Amino acid sequence: IAASVMPAVSAVRMASAVGCEFVQAIPNQIGAGYDQQMAAAQYRRLLEIGIEDYNIKPALVFVKMFPLARFGQAAAVALDADHPEARIIPDTYHMYITGGGFEALPKMDGDMYAIFQYNDAPAGMAIEAMEDEHRVYPGDGILPLTDILQGLKASGFRRCVSLELYNPAYHAQDPLSVSKTGLAKTVATIEAAGV
């Protein structure tokens, strides 16, 4: 885990300089069949480095394309790190495409979530074929966003909801227009959920 973040030290410094509380720890070099105790120890060390050297807290993400792919796996590593600042970053899209679902969200204390990454999954596409670039605006897809948001609120989560879009069709558009559309659709789904 630590190896995946160290090449991005300048990004960590920039995030810290602008006042970010958290930075993503992406376990892209953890390796298949990883040892959970080793992963937890590495994550704990990464937390110590982030806090002591950069005044920022690395939080674990889980990504379908890497061995640490599911919500439960990331939560287990974070919990086993045995550090008061250990947290994960749930993402609606990866919770869906890994088959993990959303029932775990309200079962954990919302303080365990550093940030909540928010987006939707497209209709008419096999889940096995979905990659990051297929994310769509909230409300434009098939995810049960009302249930997800209500579960998140039930967990006691009180931090940032971050719109996460890697869709090349959006990247080709005017950034300000994409930002305004994303904000409007995010707010609309949050209001529709009553949270």
Side-chain angles (χ1 to χ4, degrees):
I1 295 171
S4 69
V5 172
M6 288 307 144
V9 167
S10 62
V12 173
R13 286 185 181 132
M14 285 190 292
S16 178
V18 297
C20 293
E21 182 178 2
F22 300 103
V23 67
Q24 291 187 102
I26 305 169
N28 61 345
Q29 296 181 14
I30 195 168
Y34 66 90
D35 178 284
Q36 186 166 313
Q37 286 183 316
M38 179 278 301
Q42 290 296 311
Y43 175 50
R44 181 183 178 89
R45 181 67 188 124
L46 188 59
L47 273 166
E48 292 166 349
I49 292 168
I51 293 166
E52 293 167 15
D53 296 352
Y54 302 101
N55 193 34
I56 201 163
K57 302 167 191 168
L60 279 177
V61 295
F62 50 96
V63 180
K64 173 188 170 185
M65 301 77 177
F66 303 139
L68 196 71
R70 297 168 64 101
F71 178 98
Q73 291 172 310
V77 169
L79 290 169
D80 281 352
D82 194 30
H83 191 287
E85 299 297 344
R87 289 182 174 80
I88 65 171
I89 300 177
D91 183 305
T92 54
Y93 193 72
H94 282 285
M95 292 176 82
Y96 177 68
I97 67 174
T98 59
F102 308 103
E103 293 299 321
L105 275 174
K107 293 179 181 174
M108 291 186 65
D109 187 315
D111 187 52
M112 184 68 173
Y113 311 139
I115 300 164
F116 189 72
Q117 294 181 337
Y118 193 57
N119 40 62
D120 213 333
M125 185 175 186
I127 192 171
E128 299 79 17
M130 290 183 186
E131 301 291 338
D132 270 341
E133 65 265 21
H134 300 120
R135 298 170 189 238
V136 295
Y137 290 117
D140 286 2
I142 58 171
L143 297 185
L145 297 180
T146 292
D147 293 342
I148 292 167
L149 290 167
Q150 289 174 351
L152 184 65
K153 182 176 182 179
S155 77
F157 178 75
R158 297 289 180 266
R159 292 193 178 97
C160 176
V161 172
S162 171
L163 180 62
E164 298 285 322
L165 300 171
Y166 300 99
N167 192 315
Y170 301 153
H171 294 180
Q173 299 171 24
D174 173 64
L176 182 58
S177 175
V178 170
S179 298
K180 287 180 176 179
T181 301
L183 177 61
K185 288 178 178 282
T186 298
V187 170
T189 57
I190 290 172
E191 289 176 347
V195 298

